Amino acid sequence: MFSTLSRVAPAPSRSILQHASPQIPKVAVLTGASRALSSTPPSQKEVTLLQDKKNGFGFARFDVVELSSGFLSFPEDDWLRLVDKVHSYKLKAKPELGIQFGAGGDTPASGLEAIGTSDPAKLVNMGRKFLDAGVERLMIESEGITENVQSWRTDVVSKIMKELPPERVMFEAADPKVYNWYIREFGIDVNLFVDHSQIVQLSCLRHGIWGTADTWGKIVSFRPE
């Protein structure tokens, strides 16, 4: 969610909170089952207070806000108004779209399957509206596609890649076998969201120096100067 991060030296929590409280802006956020809206405009770079388990409290700067409905049924026009609200603060809205209602919880695959999924065309249609509203990049939720499913919905991924600009889409792929498949099927330029601990592995895969049996030595590209 945070595109640029900076930390300050550790300091006693009380003094940091006293100093920071008047300066912390409130931004429009919709994530999971919690919602928070405020009209307080931030100053300069937006600042939020994060709790660090090791060093107490510190500051983090960010300019991207991920908007995710998760367990919420949210009208499309309200989604677009929320995007406009984020953009009005000079922040970048990154909506998360998916086909699985209830994504993000501890419901097992069988339970999510019982709930059912939405039509991928709905995701594509909403994605187009977000892009028309000035969204720079869309996040595609993995649950219902490659996570917590009996079998992967590769048809959904293919539809998204066909009907939305690939360079404006990012897929959640927090599992080596998942991002290995994405790179194999769509090439080294596909945008993937992985855990920070997997960045080196993914980068090596893109450069053809790591892979599984189906990708080792087979990931290539042609980039004439």
Side-chain angles (χ1 to χ4, degrees):
M1 181 182 293
F2 303 110
S3 62
T4 55
L5 293 175
S6 60
R7 289 289 309 277
V8 296
S13 300
R14 182 181 298 275
S15 62
I16 286 183
L17 286 173
Q18 289 175 344
H19 176 72
S21 294
Q23 304 179 40
I24 301 173
K26 298 180 178 65
V27 296
V29 178
L30 170 64
T31 175
S34 62
R35 288 173 286 181
L37 288 175
S38 171
S39 59
T40 305
S43 58
Q44 299 179 0
K45 278 282 187 176
E46 285 58 44
V47 181
T48 187
L49 192 65
L50 298 181
Q51 183 175 11
D52 185 288
K53 293 182 179 179
K54 181 178 180 181
N55 298 318
F57 288 92
F59 289 108
R61 296 182 180 275
F62 67 91
D63 56 12
V64 176
V65 177
E66 183 173 303
L67 308 176
S68 177
S69 60
F71 295 91
L72 302 175
S73 178
F74 204 55
E76 290 186 359
D77 287 344
D78 288 355
W79 265 106
L80 295 171
R81 278 188 281 270
L82 188 54
V83 166
D84 289 340
K85 189 72 171 178
V86 173
H87 288 170
S88 72
Y89 292 144
K90 308 302 181 184
L91 293 167
K92 299 176 183 178
K94 186 174 70 173
E96 183 180 54
L97 297 169
I99 62 170
Q100 181 65 65
F101 185 80
D106 293 325
T107 307
S110 57
L112 292 175
E113 186 176 7
I115 295 174
T117 57
S118 60
D119 191 327
K122 178 183 177 183
L123 182 157
V124 170
N125 182 59
M126 196 66 218
R128 291 192 181 117
K129 291 183 178 181
F130 281 136
L131 295 177
D132 290 342
V135 166
E136 183 177 300
R137 184 157 295 163
L138 306 169
M139 178 69 78
I140 306 300
E141 166 65 56
S142 59
E143 289 199 71
I145 299 178
T146 58
E147 182 183 356
N148 283 338
V149 290
Q150 303 294 342
S151 59
W152 291 0
R153 292 292 307 276
T154 57
D155 59 310
V156 176
V157 179
S158 295
K159 184 177 182 65
I160 293 170
M161 292 293 281
K162 178 182 178 181
E163 300 190 25
L164 292 174
E167 70 278 5
R168 307 282 293 279
V169 174
M170 176 176 285
F171 295 92
E172 282 189 341
D175 188 288
K177 63 181 180 181
V178 175
Y179 58 72
N180 183 79
W181 177 83
Y182 273 108
I183 296 294
R184 188 192 73 195
E185 293 297 314
F186 300 105
I188 63 173
D189 294 321
V190 61
N191 294 313
L192 301 173
F193 181 82
V194 302
D195 184 81
H196 70 278
S197 64
Q198 300 166 329
I199 292 175
V200 173
Q201 194 175 43
L202 175 58
S203 181
C204 289
L205 175 61
R206 292 186 192 275
H207 286 82
I209 57 176
W210 179 89
T212 56
D214 58 331
T215 53
W216 174 251
K218 303 179 181 69
I219 303 301
V220 297
S221 61
F222 177 62
R223 305 294 164 89
E225 296 182 359

